[in-house]
mmCIF file of all heavy atoms in Angstrom:
data_model
loop_
_atom_site.group_PDB
_atom_site.id
_atom_site.type_symbol
_atom_site.label_atom_id
_atom_site.label_comp_id
_atom_site.label_asym_id
_atom_site.label_seq_id
_atom_site.Cartn_x
_atom_site.Cartn_y
_atom_site.Cartn_z
ATOM 1 N N VAL A 1 118.922 98.423 114.014
ATOM 2 C CA VAL A 1 119.262 98.126 112.636
ATOM 3 C C VAL A 1 120.618 98.705 112.243
ATOM 4 O O VAL A 1 120.859 99.893 112.398
ATOM 5 C CB VAL A 1 118.174 98.693 111.654
ATOM 6 C CG1 VAL A 1 118.526 98.412 110.194
ATOM 7 C CG2 VAL A 1 116.857 98.160 112.028
ATOM 8 N N PRO A 2 121.545 97.863 111.781
ATOM 9 C CA PRO A 2 122.873 98.382 111.474
ATOM 10 C C PRO A 2 122.956 99.353 110.272
ATOM 11 O O PRO A 2 122.008 99.274 109.429
ATOM 12 C CB PRO A 2 123.618 97.094 111.122
ATOM 13 C CG PRO A 2 122.596 96.140 110.670
ATOM 14 C CD PRO A 2 121.397 96.440 111.456
ATOM 15 N N VAL A 3 123.869 100.169 110.146
ATOM 16 C CA VAL A 3 123.967 101.130 109.089
ATOM 17 C C VAL A 3 124.107 100.452 107.810
ATOM 18 O O VAL A 3 123.580 100.930 106.787
ATOM 19 C CB VAL A 3 125.222 102.058 109.359
ATOM 20 C CG1 VAL A 3 125.496 102.982 108.196
ATOM 21 C CG2 VAL A 3 124.968 102.852 110.659
ATOM 22 N N SER A 4 124.774 99.363 107.674
ATOM 23 C CA SER A 4 124.945 98.568 106.462
ATOM 24 C C SER A 4 123.760 97.614 106.139
ATOM 25 O O SER A 4 123.968 96.587 105.497
ATOM 26 C CB SER A 4 126.271 97.778 106.482
ATOM 27 O OG SER A 4 126.174 96.891 107.557
ATOM 28 N N ALA A 5 122.542 97.982 106.487
ATOM 29 C CA ALA A 5 121.382 97.141 106.293
ATOM 30 C C ALA A 5 121.094 96.952 104.796
ATOM 31 O O ALA A 5 121.573 97.756 104.019
ATOM 32 C CB ALA A 5 120.189 97.704 107.044
ATOM 33 N N ASP A 6 120.259 96.060 104.489
ATOM 34 C CA ASP A 6 119.966 95.639 103.149
ATOM 35 C C ASP A 6 118.902 96.461 102.527
ATOM 36 O O ASP A 6 117.901 96.908 103.184
ATOM 37 C CB ASP A 6 119.607 94.174 103.118
ATOM 38 C CG ASP A 6 120.706 93.282 103.540
ATOM 39 O OD1 ASP A 6 121.702 93.340 102.913
ATOM 40 O OD2 ASP A 6 120.547 92.441 104.527
ATOM 41 N N THR A 7 119.024 96.563 101.226
ATOM 42 C CA THR A 7 117.869 97.139 100.387
ATOM 43 C C THR A 7 116.898 95.986 100.108
ATOM 44 O O THR A 7 117.116 94.826 100.436
ATOM 45 C CB THR A 7 118.453 97.619 99.047
ATOM 46 O OG1 THR A 7 118.893 96.457 98.290
ATOM 47 C CG2 THR A 7 119.553 98.666 99.256
ATOM 48 N N LEU A 8 115.773 96.406 99.531
ATOM 49 C CA LEU A 8 114.740 95.371 99.215
ATOM 50 C C LEU A 8 115.235 94.285 98.274
ATOM 51 O O LEU A 8 115.077 93.191 98.494
ATOM 52 C CB LEU A 8 113.488 95.979 98.651
ATOM 53 C CG LEU A 8 112.342 95.106 98.342
ATOM 54 C CD1 LEU A 8 111.814 94.279 99.547
ATOM 55 C CD2 LEU A 8 111.178 95.815 97.687
ATOM 56 N N ASP A 9 115.972 94.768 97.241
ATOM 57 C CA ASP A 9 116.549 93.805 96.285
ATOM 58 C C ASP A 9 117.459 92.805 96.990
ATOM 59 O O ASP A 9 117.472 91.626 96.679
ATOM 60 C CB ASP A 9 117.342 94.527 95.146
ATOM 61 C CG ASP A 9 116.409 95.228 94.206
ATOM 62 O OD1 ASP A 9 115.192 94.856 94.093
ATOM 63 O OD2 ASP A 9 116.875 96.083 93.479
ATOM 64 N N GLU A 10 118.333 93.311 97.878
ATOM 65 C CA GLU A 10 119.248 92.489 98.620
ATOM 66 C C GLU A 10 118.495 91.482 99.534
ATOM 67 O O GLU A 10 118.879 90.280 99.620
ATOM 68 C CB GLU A 10 120.246 93.278 99.376
ATOM 69 C CG GLU A 10 121.220 94.067 98.521
ATOM 70 C CD GLU A 10 121.956 95.182 99.283
ATOM 71 O OE1 GLU A 10 121.575 95.631 100.353
ATOM 72 O OE2 GLU A 10 123.017 95.515 98.773
ATOM 73 N N ARG A 11 117.474 91.918 100.214
ATOM 74 C CA ARG A 11 116.666 90.944 101.069
ATOM 75 C C ARG A 11 116.007 89.980 100.248
ATOM 76 O O ARG A 11 116.001 88.759 100.619
ATOM 77 C CB ARG A 11 115.637 91.784 101.911
ATOM 78 C CG ARG A 11 116.144 92.628 103.029
ATOM 79 C CD ARG A 11 116.160 91.800 104.323
ATOM 80 N NE ARG A 11 116.701 92.563 105.383
ATOM 81 C CZ ARG A 11 117.756 92.318 106.055
ATOM 82 N NH1 ARG A 11 118.348 91.157 105.889
ATOM 83 N NH2 ARG A 11 118.248 93.091 107.012
ATOM 84 N N VAL A 12 115.421 90.307 99.125
ATOM 85 C CA VAL A 12 114.734 89.328 98.251
ATOM 86 C C VAL A 12 115.779 88.329 97.756
ATOM 87 O O VAL A 12 115.434 87.089 97.702
ATOM 88 C CB VAL A 12 113.997 90.122 97.039
ATOM 89 C CG1 VAL A 12 113.482 89.038 96.035
ATOM 90 C CG2 VAL A 12 112.845 90.854 97.644
ATOM 91 N N ALA A 13 116.963 88.837 97.427
ATOM 92 C CA ALA A 13 118.021 87.874 96.872
ATOM 93 C C ALA A 13 118.482 86.905 97.925
ATOM 94 O O ALA A 13 118.891 85.743 97.662
ATOM 95 C CB ALA A 13 119.215 88.675 96.378
ATOM 96 N N LYS A 14 118.267 87.212 99.234
ATOM 97 C CA LYS A 14 118.656 86.307 100.323
ATOM 98 C C LYS A 14 117.536 85.435 100.772
ATOM 99 O O LYS A 14 117.737 84.629 101.674
ATOM 100 C CB LYS A 14 119.086 87.226 101.564
ATOM 101 C CG LYS A 14 120.407 87.911 101.315
ATOM 102 C CD LYS A 14 120.719 88.731 102.569
ATOM 103 C CE LYS A 14 121.953 89.539 102.506
ATOM 104 N NZ LYS A 14 122.293 90.277 103.757
ATOM 105 N N LEU A 15 116.351 85.517 100.204
ATOM 106 C CA LEU A 15 115.207 84.705 100.693
ATOM 107 C C LEU A 15 115.698 83.237 100.567
ATOM 108 O O LEU A 15 116.129 82.766 99.546
ATOM 109 C CB LEU A 15 114.025 84.990 99.876
ATOM 110 C CG LEU A 15 113.177 86.164 100.228
ATOM 111 C CD1 LEU A 15 112.130 86.439 99.077
ATOM 112 C CD2 LEU A 15 112.419 85.852 101.485
ATOM 113 N N PRO A 16 115.455 82.560 101.721
ATOM 114 C CA PRO A 16 115.712 81.082 101.729
ATOM 115 C C PRO A 16 114.656 80.331 100.970
ATOM 116 O O PRO A 16 113.619 80.860 100.566
ATOM 117 C CB PRO A 16 115.808 80.703 103.241
ATOM 118 C CG PRO A 16 114.842 81.715 103.800
ATOM 119 C CD PRO A 16 114.906 82.990 103.046
ATOM 120 N N ALA A 17 114.885 79.018 100.903
ATOM 121 C CA ALA A 17 113.811 78.150 100.330
ATOM 122 C C ALA A 17 112.584 78.287 101.256
ATOM 123 O O ALA A 17 112.770 78.455 102.507
ATOM 124 C CB ALA A 17 114.315 76.730 100.324
ATOM 125 N N PRO A 18 111.405 78.151 100.730
ATOM 126 C CA PRO A 18 110.162 78.177 101.635
ATOM 127 C C PRO A 18 110.239 77.215 102.777
ATOM 128 O O PRO A 18 110.657 76.077 102.591
ATOM 129 C CB PRO A 18 109.055 77.905 100.722
ATOM 130 C CG PRO A 18 109.536 78.258 99.311
ATOM 131 C CD PRO A 18 111.059 77.958 99.364
ATOM 132 N N THR A 19 109.857 77.659 103.928
ATOM 133 C CA THR A 19 109.882 76.745 105.128
ATOM 134 C C THR A 19 108.463 76.457 105.646
ATOM 135 O O THR A 19 108.230 75.681 106.553
ATOM 136 C CB THR A 19 110.686 77.377 106.280
ATOM 137 O OG1 THR A 19 110.051 78.717 106.552
ATOM 138 C CG2 THR A 19 112.143 77.580 105.908
ATOM 139 N N MET A 20 107.488 77.130 105.056
ATOM 140 C CA MET A 20 106.061 76.946 105.459
ATOM 141 C C MET A 20 105.231 76.758 104.174
ATOM 142 O O MET A 20 105.581 77.299 103.151
ATOM 143 C CB MET A 20 105.590 78.085 106.219
ATOM 144 C CG MET A 20 106.294 78.340 107.563
ATOM 145 S SD MET A 20 105.859 79.893 108.239
ATOM 146 C CE MET A 20 107.197 80.895 107.848
ATOM 147 N N SER A 21 104.076 76.093 104.372
ATOM 148 C CA SER A 21 103.081 75.975 103.256
ATOM 149 C C SER A 21 101.703 76.048 103.837
ATOM 150 O O SER A 21 101.527 75.705 105.000
ATOM 151 C CB SER A 21 103.373 74.763 102.399
ATOM 152 O OG SER A 21 102.957 73.658 103.148
ATOM 153 N N SER A 22 100.760 76.457 103.000
ATOM 154 C CA SER A 22 99.387 76.625 103.487
ATOM 155 C C SER A 22 98.426 76.343 102.398
ATOM 156 O O SER A 22 98.730 76.624 101.241
ATOM 157 C CB SER A 22 99.269 78.015 104.070
ATOM 158 O OG SER A 22 97.841 78.295 104.351
ATOM 159 N N ALA A 23 97.237 75.896 102.793
ATOM 160 C CA ALA A 23 96.161 75.731 101.750
ATOM 161 C C ALA A 23 95.381 76.999 101.668
ATOM 162 O O ALA A 23 94.439 77.115 100.748
ATOM 163 C CB ALA A 23 95.278 74.585 102.247
ATOM 164 N N LYS A 24 95.565 78.011 102.560
ATOM 165 C CA LYS A 24 94.921 79.270 102.499
ATOM 166 C C LYS A 24 95.242 80.008 101.198
ATOM 167 O O LYS A 24 96.346 79.803 100.557
ATOM 168 C CB LYS A 24 95.181 80.137 103.605
ATOM 169 C CG LYS A 24 94.683 79.632 104.888
ATOM 170 C CD LYS A 24 94.960 80.616 106.094
ATOM 171 C CE LYS A 24 94.397 80.162 107.393
ATOM 172 N NZ LYS A 24 94.823 81.041 108.497
ATOM 173 N N SER A 25 94.321 80.894 100.709
ATOM 174 C CA SER A 25 94.521 81.643 99.486
ATOM 175 C C SER A 25 95.703 82.610 99.685
ATOM 176 O O SER A 25 96.042 83.055 100.795
ATOM 177 C CB SER A 25 93.289 82.375 99.035
ATOM 178 O OG SER A 25 93.028 83.481 99.965
ATOM 179 N N LEU A 26 96.277 83.044 98.566
ATOM 180 C CA LEU A 26 97.270 84.148 98.565
ATOM 181 C C LEU A 26 96.720 85.290 99.245
ATOM 182 O O LEU A 26 97.522 85.969 100.058
ATOM 183 C CB LEU A 26 97.720 84.378 97.119
ATOM 184 C CG LEU A 26 98.986 85.246 96.889
ATOM 185 C CD1 LEU A 26 100.179 84.429 97.357
ATOM 186 C CD2 LEU A 26 99.129 85.480 95.391
ATOM 187 N N GLU A 27 95.560 85.706 98.898
ATOM 188 C CA GLU A 27 94.957 86.955 99.505
ATOM 189 C C GLU A 27 94.710 86.779 101.027
ATOM 190 O O GLU A 27 94.951 87.736 101.786
ATOM 191 C CB GLU A 27 93.587 87.253 98.804
ATOM 192 C CG GLU A 27 93.726 87.606 97.368
ATOM 193 C CD GLU A 27 93.832 86.383 96.388
ATOM 194 O OE1 GLU A 27 93.787 85.226 96.815
ATOM 195 O OE2 GLU A 27 94.162 86.615 95.207
ATOM 196 N N ALA A 28 94.264 85.625 101.451
ATOM 197 C CA ALA A 28 94.045 85.423 102.900
ATOM 198 C C ALA A 28 95.390 85.502 103.648
ATOM 199 O O ALA A 28 95.445 86.086 104.759
ATOM 200 C CB ALA A 28 93.350 84.117 103.114
ATOM 201 N N LEU A 29 96.397 84.919 103.070
ATOM 202 C CA LEU A 29 97.726 85.008 103.798
ATOM 203 C C LEU A 29 98.236 86.365 103.827
ATOM 204 O O LEU A 29 98.764 86.863 104.832
ATOM 205 C CB LEU A 29 98.663 84.022 103.120
ATOM 206 C CG LEU A 29 98.396 82.553 103.343
ATOM 207 C CD1 LEU A 29 99.320 81.639 102.481
ATOM 208 C CD2 LEU A 29 98.642 82.165 104.817
ATOM 209 N N GLU A 30 98.046 87.116 102.696
ATOM 210 C CA GLU A 30 98.546 88.526 102.636
ATOM 211 C C GLU A 30 97.825 89.332 103.691
ATOM 212 O O GLU A 30 98.474 90.094 104.449
ATOM 213 C CB GLU A 30 98.281 89.124 101.308
ATOM 214 C CG GLU A 30 98.654 90.577 101.216
ATOM 215 C CD GLU A 30 98.158 91.199 99.831
ATOM 216 O OE1 GLU A 30 97.561 90.536 98.978
ATOM 217 O OE2 GLU A 30 98.322 92.377 99.739
ATOM 218 N N TYR A 31 96.548 89.165 103.780
ATOM 219 C CA TYR A 31 95.725 89.971 104.739
ATOM 220 C C TYR A 31 96.108 89.645 106.163
ATOM 221 O O TYR A 31 96.398 90.521 106.969
ATOM 222 C CB TYR A 31 94.254 89.627 104.528
ATOM 223 C CG TYR A 31 93.309 90.459 105.447
ATOM 224 C CD1 TYR A 31 93.022 91.761 105.095
ATOM 225 C CD2 TYR A 31 92.709 89.914 106.459
ATOM 226 C CE1 TYR A 31 92.141 92.543 105.900
ATOM 227 C CE2 TYR A 31 91.793 90.568 107.251
ATOM 228 C CZ TYR A 31 91.540 91.913 107.010
ATOM 229 O OH TYR A 31 90.719 92.636 107.754
ATOM 230 N N CYS A 32 96.244 88.308 106.555
ATOM 231 C CA CYS A 32 96.498 87.905 107.881
ATOM 232 C C CYS A 32 97.919 88.320 108.240
ATOM 233 O O CYS A 32 98.129 88.909 109.399
ATOM 234 C CB CYS A 32 96.379 86.396 107.890
ATOM 235 S SG CYS A 32 96.698 85.722 109.674
ATOM 236 N N ILE A 33 98.946 88.102 107.446
ATOM 237 C CA ILE A 33 100.280 88.521 107.758
ATOM 238 C C ILE A 33 100.444 89.958 107.833
ATOM 239 O O ILE A 33 101.105 90.576 108.783
ATOM 240 C CB ILE A 33 101.304 87.848 106.753
ATOM 241 C CG1 ILE A 33 101.316 86.388 106.782
ATOM 242 C CG2 ILE A 33 102.747 88.486 106.940
ATOM 243 C CD1 ILE A 33 101.998 85.711 105.610
ATOM 244 N N GLY A 34 99.750 90.724 106.952
ATOM 245 C CA GLY A 34 99.784 92.195 107.007
ATOM 246 C C GLY A 34 99.151 92.696 108.284
ATOM 247 O O GLY A 34 99.794 93.646 108.870
ATOM 248 N N LEU A 35 98.081 92.186 108.786
ATOM 249 C CA LEU A 35 97.475 92.585 109.987
ATOM 250 C C LEU A 35 98.390 92.329 111.150
ATOM 251 O O LEU A 35 98.536 93.108 112.089
ATOM 252 C CB LEU A 35 96.104 91.923 110.219
ATOM 253 C CG LEU A 35 94.917 92.486 109.490
ATOM 254 C CD1 LEU A 35 93.684 91.755 109.772
ATOM 255 C CD2 LEU A 35 94.720 93.881 109.751
ATOM 256 N N ALA A 36 99.008 91.165 111.171
ATOM 257 C CA ALA A 36 99.872 90.759 112.288
ATOM 258 C C ALA A 36 101.114 91.719 112.277
ATOM 259 O O ALA A 36 101.544 92.227 113.366
ATOM 260 C CB ALA A 36 100.391 89.330 112.098
ATOM 261 N N ALA A 37 101.726 91.988 111.165
ATOM 262 C CA ALA A 37 102.896 92.878 111.048
ATOM 263 C C ALA A 37 102.474 94.288 111.498
ATOM 264 O O ALA A 37 103.285 95.036 112.023
ATOM 265 C CB ALA A 37 103.462 92.843 109.695
ATOM 266 N N ALA A 38 101.353 94.687 111.159
ATOM 267 C CA ALA A 38 100.849 96.102 111.374
ATOM 268 C C ALA A 38 100.785 96.444 112.879
ATOM 269 O O ALA A 38 100.734 97.582 113.225
ATOM 270 C CB ALA A 38 99.519 96.364 110.756
ATOM 271 N N LYS A 39 100.862 95.439 113.706
ATOM 272 C CA LYS A 39 100.903 95.778 115.152
ATOM 273 C C LYS A 39 102.271 96.261 115.628
ATOM 274 O O LYS A 39 102.391 96.845 116.632
ATOM 275 C CB LYS A 39 100.566 94.444 115.972
ATOM 276 C CG LYS A 39 99.233 93.934 115.721
ATOM 277 C CD LYS A 39 98.941 92.557 116.447
ATOM 278 C CE LYS A 39 97.614 92.043 116.157
ATOM 279 N NZ LYS A 39 97.393 90.716 116.640
ATOM 280 N N SER A 40 103.331 96.109 114.685
ATOM 281 C CA SER A 40 104.609 96.599 115.069
ATOM 282 C C SER A 40 105.165 97.600 113.978
ATOM 283 O O SER A 40 105.974 98.450 114.404
ATOM 284 C CB SER A 40 105.666 95.418 115.136
ATOM 285 O OG SER A 40 105.169 94.519 116.142
ATOM 286 N N VAL A 41 104.850 97.413 112.819
ATOM 287 C CA VAL A 41 105.357 98.285 111.659
ATOM 288 C C VAL A 41 104.277 98.525 110.729
ATOM 289 O O VAL A 41 103.165 97.954 110.743
ATOM 290 C CB VAL A 41 106.592 97.560 110.974
ATOM 291 C CG1 VAL A 41 107.735 97.438 111.875
ATOM 292 C CG2 VAL A 41 106.124 96.315 110.336
ATOM 293 N N LEU A 42 104.540 99.377 109.740
ATOM 294 C CA LEU A 42 103.569 99.630 108.665
ATOM 295 C C LEU A 42 104.038 98.830 107.457
ATOM 296 O O LEU A 42 104.992 99.164 106.793
ATOM 297 C CB LEU A 42 103.493 101.112 108.291
ATOM 298 C CG LEU A 42 102.587 101.484 107.157
ATOM 299 C CD1 LEU A 42 101.118 101.086 107.556
ATOM 300 C CD2 LEU A 42 102.668 102.988 106.840
ATOM 301 N N PRO A 43 103.348 97.654 107.158
ATOM 302 C CA PRO A 43 103.782 96.701 106.154
ATOM 303 C C PRO A 43 103.485 97.323 104.766
ATOM 304 O O PRO A 43 102.484 98.027 104.624
ATOM 305 C CB PRO A 43 103.041 95.425 106.409
ATOM 306 C CG PRO A 43 101.870 95.863 107.092
ATOM 307 C CD PRO A 43 102.147 97.098 107.921
ATOM 308 N N VAL A 44 104.274 96.911 103.822
ATOM 309 C CA VAL A 44 104.070 97.253 102.425
ATOM 310 C C VAL A 44 103.900 95.953 101.652
ATOM 311 O O VAL A 44 104.619 94.961 101.992
ATOM 312 C CB VAL A 44 105.304 98.078 101.860
ATOM 313 C CG1 VAL A 44 105.019 98.390 100.386
ATOM 314 C CG2 VAL A 44 105.429 99.342 102.640
ATOM 315 N N THR A 45 103.074 95.894 100.694
ATOM 316 C CA THR A 45 102.985 94.694 99.840
ATOM 317 C C THR A 45 103.279 95.009 98.363
ATOM 318 O O THR A 45 102.877 96.070 97.847
ATOM 319 C CB THR A 45 101.602 94.006 99.977
ATOM 320 O OG1 THR A 45 100.643 94.919 99.546
ATOM 321 C CG2 THR A 45 101.308 93.563 101.353
ATOM 322 N N LEU A 46 103.937 94.139 97.697
ATOM 323 C CA LEU A 46 104.177 94.188 96.311
ATOM 324 C C LEU A 46 103.576 92.907 95.675
ATOM 325 O O LEU A 46 103.865 91.808 96.196
ATOM 326 C CB LEU A 46 105.679 94.175 96.026
ATOM 327 C CG LEU A 46 106.474 95.395 96.362
ATOM 328 C CD1 LEU A 46 107.964 95.234 96.057
ATOM 329 C CD2 LEU A 46 105.943 96.626 95.499
ATOM 330 N N HIS A 47 102.796 93.094 94.649
ATOM 331 C CA HIS A 47 102.105 91.996 93.946
ATOM 332 C C HIS A 47 102.847 91.608 92.687
ATOM 333 O O HIS A 47 103.114 92.585 91.921
ATOM 334 C CB HIS A 47 100.664 92.411 93.680
ATOM 335 C CG HIS A 47 99.789 92.471 94.899
ATOM 336 N ND1 HIS A 47 99.012 91.521 95.393
ATOM 337 C CD2 HIS A 47 99.748 93.508 95.811
ATOM 338 C CE1 HIS A 47 98.406 91.944 96.465
ATOM 339 N NE2 HIS A 47 98.897 93.129 96.788
#
């Protein structure tokens, strides 16, 4: 990770248009993505 890496606000400002969609609930996606990410990092969620 470079020294000049982004803050959360900067990353959120750079979010592209959505590239995926799902019929699953918001909660189901949060849970699934969180578990997948947790294999590599400790994910944080903001609601």
Side-chain angles (χ1 to χ4, degrees):
V1 179
V3 174
S4 63
D6 296 302
T7 65
L8 180 58
D9 286 341
E10 291 168 337
R11 285 267 178 240
V12 170
K14 290 180 181 180
L15 276 167
T19 57
M20 297 170 258
S21 68
S22 175
K24 291 182 179 177
S25 71
L26 193 63
E27 294 82 5
L29 289 170
E30 174 189 359
Y31 184 78
C32 182
I33 295 168
L35 282 179
K39 294 175 185 172
S40 300
V41 295
L42 181 60
V44 177
T45 59
L46 288 176
H47 294 259

